[in-house]
Amino acid sequence: MFKRLFGRERHANRAITEALYAQIVAAARQTVFYSHWNVPDTPLGRFEMLSLHMFLFQHRLRGEGAAAQEVAQVLIDEFFLDVDHSLRELGIGDVGVPKRMKKLAKMFYGRTAAYDDALERNDHDGLTAALARNVRPDAGAWPEAARLAFYVADAAGHLAAQPTESILSGTVMFPTAKAD
């Protein structure tokens, strides 16, 4: 047991976690989202895109067995540690971080429920509306929401085609978002 917790296996698992998380972040930071699809390039806009890609990752691993669920949980933990770190970098103090983390966690789980429902029903209009409501709540109309919804559906299909073993070994591939 100690060998597992402190030995090479733990380092290998950490390397897999870091690799997967880096790939999720890279997918969420695709320039097209911010430059062509008008996702706000702000801390909240970046949170929305990272949340969306974390949702897609979690959605892919659902029902895949104990090892996949463990990886999914580790990645969620990593995500919230990153959000906590980002809040602190923004200058939010120790007293304010837990309150904001609770709010952001509630936002994340609310969004994932809406996205999951729309994907499961293959409801493009519902997914578009959920994305518009969450990513651009300030915009009366956000025509690029439909593009983002197509990307989400494409990404879900793209991830579903990837072997679980490949993902669990540290490789997850998201599609490239296209400007046009």
Side-chain angles (χ1 to χ4, degrees), residues 44 47-48 102-112:
L44 192 53
F47 170 80
E48 292 295 346
K102 185 175 180 179
K103 180 179 179 181
L104 290 169
K106 185 176 178 181
M107 288 169 58
F108 173 77
Y109 288 111
R111 282 151 174 69
T112 60

Side-chain angles (χ1 to χ4, degrees), residues 58-69:
Q58 299 291 312
H59 184 78
R60 167 58 184 88
L61 290 183
R62 184 180 310 139
E64 288 292 330
Q69 295 314 303

Side-chain angles (χ1 to χ4, degrees), residues 4 10 24 39 46-47 61 68 71 84 88 91 108 128 138 152 157-158 161 167-168:
R4 184 170 167 226
R10 179 151 164 47
I24 293 166
V39 171
R46 291 187 293 273
F47 170 80
L61 290 183
V71 168
D84 181 283
R88 292 175 193 282
F108 173 77
T128 300
D138 59 331
V152 170
H158 192 83
I167 295 171
L168 297 181

Side-chain angles (χ1 to χ4, degrees), residues 8 12 20 25-26 30 39 70 83-84 96 109 125 146 148 170 172:
R8 286 188 343 192
L20 288 171
V25 170
Q30 292 182 66
V39 171
E70 186 177 331
V83 170
D84 181 283
Y109 288 111
D125 291 337
L148 186 55
V172 62

Side-chain angles (χ1 to χ4, degrees), residues 12-79:
N13 290 341
R14 186 70 201 154
I16 290 169
T17 299
E18 289 174 359
L20 288 171
Y21 193 69
Q23 291 164 72
I24 293 166
V25 170
R29 291 296 293 151
Q30 292 182 66
T31 308
V32 169
F33 298 139
Y34 307 94
S35 64
H36 289 81
W37 295 0
N38 295 319
V39 171
D41 195 5
T42 62
L44 192 53
R46 291 187 293 273
F47 170 80
E48 292 295 346
M49 295 310 294
L50 185 54
S51 294
L52 179 60
H53 286 82
M54 282 301 301
F55 156 72
L56 287 165
F57 182 82
Q58 299 291 312
H59 184 78
R60 167 58 184 88
L61 290 183
R62 184 180 310 139
E64 288 292 330
Q69 295 314 303
E70 186 177 331
V71 168
Q73 184 59 55
V74 167
L75 266 289
I76 282 291
D77 295 345
E78 189 73 17
F79 167 66

